[in-house]
Amino acid sequence: SQQGEEDPQALSIQEGENATMNCSYKTSINNLQWYRQNSGRGLVHLILIRSNEREKHSGRLRVTLDTSKKSSSLLITASRAADTASYFCATDGTSGSRLTFGEGTQLTVNP
Amino acid sequence: GAGVSQSPRYKVAKRGQDVALRCDPISGHVSLFWYQQALGQGPEFLTYFQNEAQLDKSGLPSDRFFAERPEGSVSTLKIQRTQQEDSAVYLCASRTRGTYTEAFFGQGTRLTVV
């Protein structure tokens, strides 16, 4: 079964706008990761945030983590058509063990 | 190798046929995972290896599913007597040793059971 839920399930925006995706999870975590998946392809790692971190940046990506609410958000700023993909959060409960994925958010960025 | 390699990319099997899916992880990666992904869904965990030891197989949906990694490198996921509900993309991922490490995924094998 999935660890958490992502919200929204689908998001459609115009190029240049910001996109925010949310993820909620159920159990304690060691870290939380975000992945991107283009249609018909494998998943690509975007960013990892540790359980003792509250915010992290990487390029146009900003991730927040609130362990008290068991939730995370991914913000993509100044979106581009090439950002169109599915985005998944994944929780890591124990070092090196399995990642448990959410259902994903399908992002469409219209040119 | 440069990345995680899976073969075949596509497999069509007749119901009842046995299939074998191969995963070649990144050289030196200790951990290897198999996931099943249905259309429009997130990846669902199947099984996990650390070197050649299968440490967790709790996600395998039935005893028709079997995975091995005999030398701690290449892994094979075998599905016996395939059923239509086995149709999905099967993803393999590997991770290096460490507390805060990312998983590297292969392109997946799309299995269609007809």
Side-chain angles (χ1 to χ4, degrees):
Chain A
S1 61
Q2 302 296 106
Q3 157 74 299
E5 298 175 358
E6 271 143 296
D7 157 49
Q9 286 190 325
L11 179 62
S12 182
I13 59 174
Q14 295 299 121
E15 224 171 11
E17 294 181 339
N18 296 341
T20 300
M21 289 160 267
N22 303 296
C23 165
S24 61
Y25 58 92
K26 297 171 184 165
T27 61
S28 297
I29 62 170
N30 175 286
N31 66 82
L32 185 144
Q33 304 183 25
W34 285 88
Y35 287 80
R36 165 197 168 123
Q37 184 177 38
N38 285 73
S39 180
R41 310 293 295 271
L43 283 82
V44 175
H45 179 262
L46 294 176
I47 194 166
L48 179 154
I49 186 165
R50 303 183 181 196
S51 59
N52 62 354
E53 296 176 315
R54 291 298 165 256
E55 188 171 313
K56 199 160 184 182
H57 296 254
S58 176
R60 294 185 295 112
L61 304 180
R62 172 178 167 250
V63 169
T64 63
L65 179 64
D66 186 335
T67 53
S68 67
K69 295 181 179 178
K70 291 186 167 58
S71 67
S72 174
S73 68
L74 171 68
L75 168 68
I76 303 174
T77 60
S79 63
R80 305 165 183 168
D83 295 329
T84 295
S86 292
Y87 292 82
F88 296 91
C89 69
T91 53
D92 191 357
T94 308
S95 167
S97 68
R98 67 161 107 170
L99 292 170
T100 304
F101 287 83
E103 297 287 346
T105 294
Q106 171 61 51
L107 173 67
T108 301
V109 181
N110 301 298
Chain B
V4 178
S5 178
Q6 291 188 246
S7 61
R9 281 294 317 276
Y10 304 92
K11 176 71 179 178
V12 178
K14 290 185 178 178
R15 196 172 130 186
Q17 188 178 355
D18 296 350
V19 299
L21 312 180
R22 176 188 168 107
C23 173
D24 206 331
I26 293 174
S27 177
H29 278 194
V30 168
S31 302
L32 185 145
F33 305 82
W34 284 98
Y35 286 85
Q36 181 188 60
Q37 186 176 26
L39 190 63
Q41 303 292 313
E44 289 262 13
F45 171 80
L46 293 177
T47 186
Y48 157 56
F49 291 85
Q50 190 169 87
N51 296 307
E52 68 278 2
Q54 189 174 21
L55 298 187
D56 187 348
K57 54 181 181 179
S58 62
L60 295 176
S62 77
D63 58 8
R64 296 186 296 104
F65 286 71
F66 171 77
E68 60 183 4
R69 194 186 185 197
E71 297 176 0
S73 178
V74 172
S75 177
T76 304
L77 176 67
K78 296 178 180 177
I79 308 173
Q80 297 176 322
R81 304 180 304 281
T82 52
Q83 304 293 317
Q84 280 195 313
E85 61 262 29
D86 300 335
S87 295
V89 175
Y90 290 85
L91 296 166
C92 176
S94 67
R95 289 173 90 170
T96 188
R97 195 185 301 272
T99 303
Y100 301 106
T101 59
E102 65 186 272
F104 291 83
F105 280 82
Q107 301 276 44
T109 294
R110 181 178 296 278
L111 173 65
T112 303
V113 181
V114 298

